């Protein structure tokens, strides 16, 4: 594989609903884990031990395999101060990097704007889901939204080409300048026209795709397969975004949480197997996050909203291992019964934006935040000139200068 010559790509996998950090990366030797999880805690013999202190949830075997290959970075204590413990507000904070006010621009949308300032490729960023996250929302930045690649398009239900052409013409007029002015109409006008262009371009991906890898039957596996198809079609997409839900396990967590991570783990494994089977993938970094973790003590059936969470970076160019410190589980160190974040989530984004994509992260994440060295291959951002970039192996071997 020679992807050091290719543009770096990120795949963001959002674990929607508040993933239970304490039941995902488990301090299995800590008696406080057993004490606090009488109803939903995993048995010691079922936990996949990673080291002498921490283990993964029992259904995370495929992630553990990647971890053993040195391709998974576990980022502890991710979050921000004074968590509101609200899905909507917390997700908005992660999406816009604005914990102190309501943001109007998403970090990933800002990245897309920097990567393609002249909008030369309407597929620079693609969201694979039924809903578009605010992380990708920036006025004037085109983002294709694909729920199912096989049926994606604009007015594709019209079989006759002539009728579809007429319908598309009417659709285009809906977004013409005659509609009016203002932020909303400007946004709809531009994205509506770009959706039509993107639909016609991306339809080639399934036509070009052939694979021997069998993906499991789950929604997240289907989205990751669609991402693989578009990536392998070489359409110039730099940001892929998708999500899996719902990790909001107030009740029934003992059954729901293992299944959620089974689906995610198997989907991720199949995705990278697919890329590798095509001799591709080492210019891809996947980043997983959730809007918050969950309460340390269970509620008898599940867990309530918490604060600190865990993020993951996965890929061939990831320097695997544990990053940061697991927050204290001692009762006197908790806030409202929750693990306290000790790593600002914007530092993870900064690592991706500067060291992987080679951009200045400050205007994207709204400030300076601690980076983590979880990447082997690195595009070092230099403030002297945006185009002046050095690519080096973080282990010391220079790749490109």
């Amino acid at each position: 594989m020679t992807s050091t010559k290719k543009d770096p790509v990120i795949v963001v996998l959002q674990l929607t609903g508040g993933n239970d950090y304490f039941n995902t990366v488990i301090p299995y030797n800590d008696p406080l884990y057993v004490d606090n999880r009488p109803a939903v805690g995993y048995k010691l013999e079922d936990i996949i031990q990673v080291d002498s202190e921490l283990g993964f949830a029992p259904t995370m075997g495929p992630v553990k395999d990647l971890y053993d290959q040195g391709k998974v970075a576990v980022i502890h204590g991710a979050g921000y101060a004074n968590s509101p413990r609200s899905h909507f507000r917390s997700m908005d904070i992660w999406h816009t990097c604005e914990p102190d006010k309501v943001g109007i621009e998403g970090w990933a949308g800002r990245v897309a704007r920097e990567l393609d300032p002249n909008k030369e490729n309407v597929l620079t960023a693609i969201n694979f889901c039924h809903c578009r996250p605010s992380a990708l929302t920036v006025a004037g930045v085109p983002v294709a939204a694909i729920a199912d690649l096989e049926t994606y398009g604009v007015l594709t239900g019209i079989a006759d080409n002539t009728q579809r052409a007429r319908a598309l013409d009417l659709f285009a007029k809906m977004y013409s300048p005659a509609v009016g002015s203002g932020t909303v109409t400007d946004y709809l006008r531009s994205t509506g026209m770009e959706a039509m262009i993107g639909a016609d371009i991306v339809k080639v991906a399934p036509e070009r795709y052939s694979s021997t890898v069998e993906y499991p039957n789950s929604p997240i596996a289907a989205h990751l397969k669609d991402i693989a198809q578009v990536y392998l079609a070489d359409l110039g997409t730099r940001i892929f975004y998708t999500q899996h839900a719902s990790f909001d396990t107030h009740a029934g967590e003992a059954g729901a949480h293992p299944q959620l991570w089974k689906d995610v783990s198997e989907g991720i494994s199949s995705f990278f197997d697919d890329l590798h089977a095509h001799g591709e993938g080492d210019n891809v970094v996947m980043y997983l996050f959730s809007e918050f973790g969950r309460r340390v003590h269970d509620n008898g059936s599940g867990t309530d909203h918490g604060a600190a969470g865990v993020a993951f970076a996965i890929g061939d160019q990831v320097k695997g291992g544990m990053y940061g410190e697991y927050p204290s589980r001692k009762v006197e160190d908790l806030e409202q019964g929750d693990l306290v974040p000790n790593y600002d989530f914007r530092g993870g984004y900064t690592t991706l934006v500067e060291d992987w994509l080679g951009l200045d992260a400050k205007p994207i994440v709204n400030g300076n935040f601690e980076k983590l060295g979880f990447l082997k291959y690195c595009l070092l951002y230099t403030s002297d000139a945006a185009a002046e970039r050095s690519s080096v192996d973080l282990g010391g071997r220079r790749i490109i200068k």
Side-chain angles (χ1 to χ4, degrees):
M1 288 182 276
T2 58
S3 67
T4 52
K5 297 180 181 179
K6 295 184 177 181
D7 289 329
V9 170
I10 58 173
V11 177
V12 181
L13 201 174
Q14 175 179 299
L15 308 177
T16 304
N19 173 54
D20 187 355
Y21 176 17
F22 206 28
N23 252 6
T24 301
V25 183
I26 305 164
Y28 62 88
N29 275 334
D30 186 348
L32 290 173
Y33 174 73
V34 177
D35 293 346
N36 281 290
R37 295 301 175 95
V40 302
Y42 292 114
K43 296 179 180 178
L44 177 61
E45 60 268 26
D46 294 333
I47 296 169
I48 302 173
Q49 295 186 16
V50 175
D51 56 32
S52 60
E53 296 183 0
L54 299 175
F56 289 151
T59 52
M60 292 177 66
V63 171
K64 175 58 161 54
D65 291 341
L66 289 167
Y67 185 92
D68 290 342
Q69 297 170 39
K71 298 180 179 181
V72 177
V74 180
I75 302 166
H76 290 288
Y80 51 90
N82 304 314
S83 172
R85 296 164 177 81
S86 157
H87 291 295
F88 303 104
R89 180 65 187 127
S90 294
M91 194 62 82
D92 183 67
I93 289 170
W94 275 83
H95 284 175
T96 65
C97 298
E98 292 280 13
D100 300 320
K101 64 179 182 179
V102 176
I104 60 172
E105 291 190 337
W107 76 273
R110 286 174 169 173
V111 169
R113 182 173 59 194
E114 292 299 311
L115 291 172
D116 187 21
N118 297 320
K119 296 195 290 185
E120 296 174 354
N121 184 358
V122 296
L123 299 178
T124 295
I126 303 180
N127 174 47
F128 287 83
C129 189
H130 292 280
C131 56
R132 175 169 168 168
S134 56
L136 287 166
T137 301
V138 172
V141 174
V143 177
I146 301 175
D148 184 341
L149 188 58
E150 293 293 336
T151 59
Y152 176 68
V154 178
L155 304 177
T156 52
I158 302 175
D160 181 77
N161 288 335
T162 302
Q163 290 182 347
R164 182 170 182 265
R166 291 173 180 169
L168 286 171
D169 181 61
L170 290 173
F171 184 78
K173 290 177 180 177
M174 290 170 58
Y175 297 99
S176 68
V179 172
S181 61
T183 302
V184 174
T185 51
D186 289 345
Y187 178 80
L188 290 174
R189 184 187 308 131
S190 63
T191 54
M193 295 298 295
E194 288 148 357
M196 291 190 291
I197 299 170
D200 286 335
I201 297 173
V202 81
K203 68 182 180 182
V204 305
E207 299 168 1
R208 297 179 181 177
Y209 178 76
S210 176
S211 180
T212 58
V213 174
E214 292 188 13
Y215 285 76
N217 183 22
S218 69
I220 187 56
H223 286 320
L224 290 172
K225 182 178 180 180
D226 284 350
I227 290 173
Q229 291 182 67
V230 175
Y231 167 81
L232 292 169
D234 199 20
L235 301 178
T237 303
R238 304 288 302 281
I239 305 167
F240 295 95
Y241 203 107
T242 191
Q243 64 175 300
H244 190 52
S246 170
F247 285 82
D248 193 19
T249 50
H250 290 281
E253 180 171 336
H257 194 256
Q259 185 62 50
L260 287 161
W261 270 106
K262 180 176 186 293
D263 292 344
V264 169
S265 299
E266 291 179 349
I268 290 172
S269 179
S270 295
F271 172 75
F272 281 106
D273 284 347
D274 199 2
L275 301 194
H276 293 154
H278 289 84
E280 300 285 353
D282 62 344
N283 67 324
V284 175
V285 170
M286 180 181 288
Y287 197 74
L288 283 68
F289 80 95
S290 193
E291 65 263 43
F292 46 63
R294 305 196 74 83
R295 191 68 35 90
V296 171
H297 201 289
D298 69 44
N299 62 22
S301 178
T303 49
D304 298 321
H305 297 177
V310 62
F312 298 85
I314 304 175
D316 295 349
Q317 301 299 338
V318 168
K319 185 162 58 176
M322 298 288 172
Y323 291 82
E325 182 179 354
Y326 207 115
S328 172
R329 282 81 67 189
K330 296 179 181 179
V331 65
E332 62 268 24
D333 295 330
L334 305 179
E335 289 184 358
Q336 300 181 44
D338 301 329
L339 299 174
V340 179
N342 55 23
Y343 179 67
D344 194 300
F345 74 97
R346 290 167 288 187
Y349 290 164
T350 299
T351 308
L352 292 173
V353 172
E354 293 195 347
D355 294 349
W356 185 240
L357 298 175
L359 302 173
D360 181 9
K362 290 189 290 295
I364 291 172
V365 304
N366 301 313
N368 291 292
F369 301 95
E370 178 190 0
K371 293 193 288 187
L372 297 174
F374 59 73
L375 294 171
K376 298 177 183 177
Y377 173 76
C378 175
L379 276 174
L380 296 175
Y381 168 77
T382 63
S383 58
D384 294 334
E388 182 185 348
R389 298 174 183 173
S390 298
S391 301
V392 299
D393 186 311
L394 293 184
R397 178 175 60 86
R398 186 171 299 279
I399 297 176
I400 301 172
K401 177 65 177 178

